[in-house]
Amino acid sequence: MTVRTTHQQQPNSLYFVTFTCYRWIPLFALTVSYDLVYKWFDYLHAKSIRIVGYVIMPNHVHVMLYFPEMLISLNTLISNGKRFIAYEIVKRLVLRKNSEILQRLSAGVSEREKRKGQLHKVFKSSFDAKECISPAFIYQKLEYMHHNPTAGKWRLAKNFVAYPYSSASFYETGEGGYDKLMRVEEVIYGG
């Protein structure tokens, strides 16, 4: 059973959010769908929600979201983003004729979800969100996400700054990454 937590964020809040592909299947890599996350970031930016840091891994996303105002709940925001990305990932799987993965995603849909019309389980139902209150916690999470591509089993790049689907290069060199990033110092010190 999915544990659902309703996040009650306040204006000027920063959250470290993680959402994961169903059964850790590397769907972003299989469908080359990193661009879908950037499109979602554009949607967030249009809603005045700022991206402070991120990494898009083959099977999960870490992102730091800054809410200057609370126009939409975190739960709704993540749910809508996952739904948009899921539809597009399924389209790409269909175009690639990847019936094995489509069958796995279809088999993951619960009876309750089927009654609601869901055909594929692309993401885990829940997501993780931690409010970032102290500068130490904020920098710890930023460092964790930026080093994720080179940590443990991943080895997706020789140097964490070289991983293309991350804000690490933006923070280390001032270049690269999503083009509408808000620096963490602006959040902490009101820059």
Side-chain angles (χ1 to χ4, degrees):
M1 177 186 271
T2 302
V3 176
R4 300 196 187 277
T5 303
T6 302
H7 300 277
Q8 302 294 332
Q9 68 271 27
Q10 302 296 318
N12 296 311
S13 59
L14 179 69
Y15 276 85
F16 176 71
V17 174
T18 302
F19 59 91
T20 307
C21 294
Y22 174 70
R23 295 211 168 185
W24 293 91
I25 300 169
L27 294 172
F28 291 109
L30 287 172
T31 59
V32 193
S33 294
Y34 303 96
D35 63 306
L36 299 175
V37 179
Y38 293 120
K39 286 180 185 176
W40 179 56
F41 287 174
D42 284 340
Y43 168 81
L44 297 176
H45 193 269
K47 297 283 183 191
S48 298
I49 299 159
R50 299 297 178 242
I51 310 304
V52 175
Y54 70 92
V55 64
I56 310 165
M57 299 294 286
N59 60 11
H60 66 283
V61 174
H62 295 298
V63 61
M64 290 183 101
L65 300 174
Y66 175 65
F67 295 84
E69 299 178 52
M70 294 316 310
L71 303 176
I72 186 169
S73 78
L74 183 61
N75 293 67
T76 300
L77 190 78
I78 302 302
S79 174
N80 289 347
K82 286 169 43 179
R83 186 172 21 261
F84 159 75
I85 295 168
Y87 283 129
E88 295 301 318
I89 285 175
V90 168
K91 281 184 193 176
R92 291 179 185 191
L93 287 167
V94 168
L95 285 172
R96 287 173 169 75
K97 298 180 171 121
N98 195 329
S99 57
E100 179 206 338
I101 296 296
L102 286 165
Q103 287 172 354
R104 286 175 67 189
L105 299 179
S106 182
V109 180
S110 71
E111 289 303 318
R112 180 175 174 257
E113 291 166 331
K114 285 178 186 174
R115 286 193 298 273
K116 290 182 173 184
Q118 187 171 337
L119 302 175
H120 300 92
K121 186 77 168 178
V122 175
F123 294 107
K124 289 184 179 183
S125 297
S126 60
F127 67 94
D128 187 44
K130 297 190 182 341
E131 186 171 9
C132 301
I133 298 171
S134 73
F137 185 76
I138 293 168
Y139 284 115
Q140 185 261 335
K141 290 300 181 190
L142 198 60
E143 185 171 324
Y144 167 77
M145 82 169 84
H146 286 162
H147 284 85
N148 203 216
T150 58
K153 68 174 185 168
W154 290 111
R155 306 290 182 226
L156 298 172
K158 290 185 183 207
N159 181 323
F160 74 99
V161 177
Y163 185 67
Y165 311 111
S166 167
S167 56
S169 63
F170 171 77
Y171 278 98
E172 296 296 317
T173 69
E175 297 177 7
Y178 178 66
D179 65 348
K180 297 178 186 83
L181 283 168
M182 178 180 198
R183 292 195 72 82
V184 71
E185 293 81 12
E186 294 178 64
V187 175
I188 295 172
Y189 304 113

